[in-house]
Amino acid sequence: MNGTAAVYYYQPGLAYAPATPHEDSSVYMYLQQLCRFAAVKPLNLTYTDGYTYVYAANIYCSPDGIRWAWLRWLPLRLTAFRGNVTFVRINATAYTAVGVFNGTAPEGWYSDGAKAFRLPEQAGEAGGELERLRREAAALRAEAERLRAELAEARAAANATARRAAQAEAEAEELRQRLRQTADLLAVCRNQVAQLTSSLGATKAELERAAEREAQLRREAEALSRALADNRTRLAELEQTVADLEKRLADAETDKWVFLGLGLTAAGVATAITVLARRREAV
């Protein structure tokens, strides 16, 4: 494999179906303890795209490098796993990572610390198989170390991302606070606009009434101006009439004295005639 390829192994004949979502965490913790050491025997390549390789394999796990367990034995300990486990009779006690078996034991590979053997026994070089498994285990340990380093880098990146996320959340909260303040200020402005609009309406109504009053006063002033002009004309006519009367009165006064003088003269003549007539009668 090149340095950029990812290799995955899965155990055939084993299915995972937890009863509840909370069961995932307990299963994960159990597998962490069980698979501190692992050995893999690839069976066949099931998928590859040049960057990812997936192998079907028999996978063995150990918490201490001494007691081992084939992953197909997991249904013996965890109800979340499904699979068939075949037992064989033994005349000994088998100490495995998933339990101690006496008289019967699940079939598969075992180790007594010095060699590996399979139950039921099969022909072949058990020592050679164990050595191959050890080499594969060493390769897997190296891969695990590399994955741990990548995991540490990923955790550091995740922590940096979390810090940036916290900073972004703080900035977002500040922006939300500003938005709330802006919304409050906008509400105040809208209230003031409503008050000003109402006041403007009242002012416009007052101006309209004042305009109507001004128009009325202008009409009344025009009527008064016309009446004043008429009164001035009549006053001029009356003044002319008075002047005419005064002239006539002056002329009448002159005529009175003339008539009075004439009256007195006529009366003297009549008196003289009367006196003379009486004198003649006396004679």
Side-chain angles (χ1 to χ4, degrees), residues 18-171:
T20 63
H22 300 290
E23 197 171 0
D24 289 334
S25 59
S26 60
V27 169
Y28 179 73
M29 294 178 61
Y30 177 79
L31 291 177
Q32 277 189 318
Q33 295 296 324
L34 178 66
C35 296
R36 294 182 61 188
F37 302 92
V40 177
K41 180 183 180 181
L43 300 176
N44 60 288
L45 178 66
T46 59
Y47 170 81
T48 180
D49 59 3
Y51 299 94
T52 302
Y53 294 81
V54 180
Y55 287 89
N58 286 326
I59 304 173
Y60 296 82
C61 288
S62 172
D64 52 11
I66 299 173
R67 296 169 301 143
W68 290 83
W70 189 16
L71 287 189
R72 288 192 61 176
W73 297 347
L74 286 177
L76 299 178
R77 290 295 305 269
L78 300 174
T79 58
F81 290 94
R82 302 286 186 271
N84 295 322
V85 180
T86 302
F87 279 81
V88 296
R89 294 184 178 277
I90 59 173
N91 294 321
T93 300
Y95 297 88
T96 72
V98 295
V100 178
F101 302 93
N102 187 13
T104 60
E107 68 173 359
W109 285 94
Y110 290 79
S111 173
D112 61 359
K115 65 179 182 177
F117 57 92
R118 182 180 175 85
L119 294 176
E121 291 288 344
Q122 294 182 350
E125 293 292 335
E129 180 68 15
L130 178 60
E131 182 61 26
R132 187 182 66 80
L133 290 176
R134 286 176 177 170
R135 288 195 302 269
E136 292 179 354
L140 288 175
R141 291 190 189 98
E143 180 68 13
E145 290 299 326
R146 185 183 66 81
L147 292 176
R148 288 191 186 97
E150 292 181 356
L151 179 59
E153 294 179 359
R155 284 175 176 170
N159 291 334
T161 302
R163 288 191 296 271
R164 289 194 296 269
Q167 182 180 359
E169 178 61 25
E171 293 176 355

Side-chain angles (χ1 to χ4, degrees), residues 216-234:
Q216 181 181 359
L217 292 175
R218 188 179 295 111
R219 291 192 296 271
E220 292 178 355
E222 291 174 354
L224 290 174
S225 296
R226 290 192 297 271
L228 180 60
D230 293 341
N231 289 334
R232 286 175 177 172
T233 302
R234 292 181 60 190

Side-chain angles (χ1 to χ4, degrees), residues 268-283:
V269 172
T271 301
I273 292 171
T274 302
V275 170
L276 288 175
R278 287 178 177 175
R279 284 179 178 177
R280 287 176 180 174
E281 290 175 356
V283 171

